[in-house]
Amino acid sequence: MATVEQYLKPAVIQQIKRLDLRAQFIVKGFLQGLHASPFHGFSVEFSEHRKYTAGDNPQDIDWLVYAKTDKYYTKKFEAETNITGYLVMDQSRSMAYTYRQEMTKFDYAICIAAALCYLMVHQNDPVGLVTFGEKIDKFLPPKSKRQQIGNVLSVLARMEPAGETDVAKSLTQLAAMIKHASLVMVFSDLLGEAEETIASLRRLRHGGNDVILFHILDEAEVDFPFHGLMELEDPETHEKLEVDADSFKSDYAEEINAFREQYRTECQKSGIDYVPLDTSMPFDRALMEYLVTRRQRA
């Protein structure tokens, strides 16, 4: 069985712990930038105020502000700036594909998810796990305790990608499940109907969520390093197609580039982070480059 150490290497931890995934996260105008640890013993300091609304605790009203403004404001505790993250993993059969790399697409996704899970827990942010094929299969509720890293990886390490996938249906299902604006990190090869998947991603984004799409393909799916007559088989439907790889290569390259460009363009329009990856890239370097870029954009 795979171990936590296989997916979460100490060298990777040392790199990512200096970064903050929340740097670009903005919801309702007050979730922005880094935040300090909100708890100092049993004393909680507030960083700013917001108007009192029905359901707020009257004990949180700042009477000094009331005396100056004649309006009710409550203390907005720094603890309110914690965000909830969801690692959303495609577990369909196509994610098990690998041509000559040591890791399958699913293994590659787990490595990145493990690092992000560690990063969120390290920042005291709750993170949960969602796996899907044709629909959502497993759901691990978000927690911020350190053992959550082991909980998440324990589930993923025992999984074997299988069956077909319906990314759009699964993400639409997830959008209905999430009750508060969250950070949704999707890991998939996106082998399905692009228009429907993009619509479901927009639905997640329009719900106030910060969405990161990690589009993971195998090296061979990007570069098509094949020659001569060969038989291609869809890993999920098992449909087969015989092609002359050398004459097919140019058309294939055009299609795969258009496929990725469509996602890049549509995600950019909707404020979704699109991260194209393939398994020939060292996952830690690819993740670091993305996180640094994300921080610089904040």
Side-chain angles (χ1 to χ4, degrees):
M1 179 183 294
T3 64
V4 170
E5 290 75 16
Q6 176 181 337
Y7 295 115
L8 192 57
K9 297 179 172 66
V12 178
I13 291 175
Q14 290 305 314
Q15 286 182 305
I16 66 169
K17 70 192 304 181
R18 298 190 300 271
L19 298 176
D20 194 314
L21 192 58
R22 293 161 301 186
Q24 197 180 316
F25 190 85
I26 304 172
V27 177
K28 298 180 181 178
F30 66 81
L31 290 182
Q32 184 173 15
L34 311 178
H35 69 235
S37 176
F39 297 108
H40 305 277
F42 291 100
S43 169
V44 182
E45 299 177 353
F46 66 93
S47 55
E48 54 183 286
H49 298 75
R50 58 175 166 78
K51 289 184 178 181
Y52 177 84
T53 58
D56 287 340
N57 188 342
Q59 294 179 351
D60 292 338
I61 294 175
D62 190 321
W63 296 107
L64 290 175
V65 173
Y66 173 76
K68 294 178 180 179
T69 65
D70 200 32
K71 294 180 181 179
Y72 295 110
Y73 284 86
T74 63
K75 304 167 186 177
K76 185 185 72 62
F77 296 105
E78 288 186 15
E80 294 180 7
T81 65
N82 282 87
I83 62 171
T84 298
Y86 291 93
L87 302 165
V88 186
M89 310 286 292
D90 183 344
Q91 65 177 51
S92 61
R93 187 181 295 112
S94 66
M95 292 293 287
Y97 177 74
T98 182
Y99 175 58
R100 57 189 174 197
Q101 294 295 327
E102 292 182 8
M103 288 193 291
T104 66
K105 290 181 284 186
F106 192 66
D107 289 333
Y108 193 91
I110 293 177
C111 288
I112 296 177
L116 293 173
C117 183
Y118 173 87
L119 182 54
M120 292 204 70
V121 170
H122 180 69
Q123 295 169 169
N124 297 315
D125 291 321
V127 59
L129 173 67
V130 179
T131 68
F132 69 90
E134 293 184 279
K135 61 180 181 178
I136 288 178
D137 180 39
K138 291 182 173 59
F139 179 82
L140 196 63
K143 292 182 180 178
S144 57
K145 295 182 179 179
R146 285 207 170 266
Q147 54 262 44
Q148 183 73 342
I149 302 170
N151 295 340
V152 167
L153 290 178
S154 178
V155 171
L156 293 174
R158 291 197 303 266
M159 292 182 62
E160 290 290 339
E164 297 184 26
T165 186
D166 190 330
V167 184
K169 178 181 177 181
S170 301
L171 294 184
T172 298
Q173 188 181 353
L174 178 62
M177 292 170 60
I178 297 177
K179 303 305 180 185
H180 304 285
S182 302
L183 176 58
V184 181
M185 297 158 279
V186 181
F187 304 82
S188 176
D189 54 16
L190 301 175
L191 299 185
E193 178 52 54
E195 293 295 339
E196 293 178 5
T197 299
I198 289 166
S200 67
L201 287 163
R202 288 198 188 112
R203 193 172 291 112
L204 270 172
R205 183 71 182 101
H206 292 166
N209 301 295
D210 190 1
V211 182
I212 306 173
L213 176 60
F214 292 97
H215 188 186
I216 302 172
L217 296 175
D218 186 76
E219 174 194 17
E221 291 175 320
V222 174
D223 295 334
F224 201 73
F226 306 109
H227 300 281
L229 283 177
M230 61 177 299
E231 187 176 73
L232 302 178
E233 179 179 342
D234 186 305
E236 295 184 13
T237 65
H238 297 296
E239 292 183 16
K240 297 180 180 180
L241 176 67
E242 189 173 277
V243 299
D244 178 351
D246 296 291
S247 61
F248 184 65
K249 186 178 180 68
S250 178
D251 290 340
Y252 180 87
E254 187 175 324
E255 287 294 324
I256 199 70
N257 289 335
F259 174 50
R260 297 171 104 182
E261 181 61 21
Q262 180 182 13
Y263 273 102
R264 187 196 67 77
T265 301
E266 295 302 324
C267 284
Q268 186 177 44
K269 289 179 183 177
S270 299
I272 295 168
D273 278 9
Y274 174 65
V275 188
L277 300 168
D278 74 69
T279 53
S280 69
M281 305 175 180
F283 79 89
D284 51 343
R285 186 188 307 166
L287 180 58
M288 278 293 295
E289 288 177 359
Y290 165 68
L291 291 175
V292 169
T293 301
R294 181 178 171 91
R295 181 175 63 180
Q296 292 171 344
R297 288 203 311 264

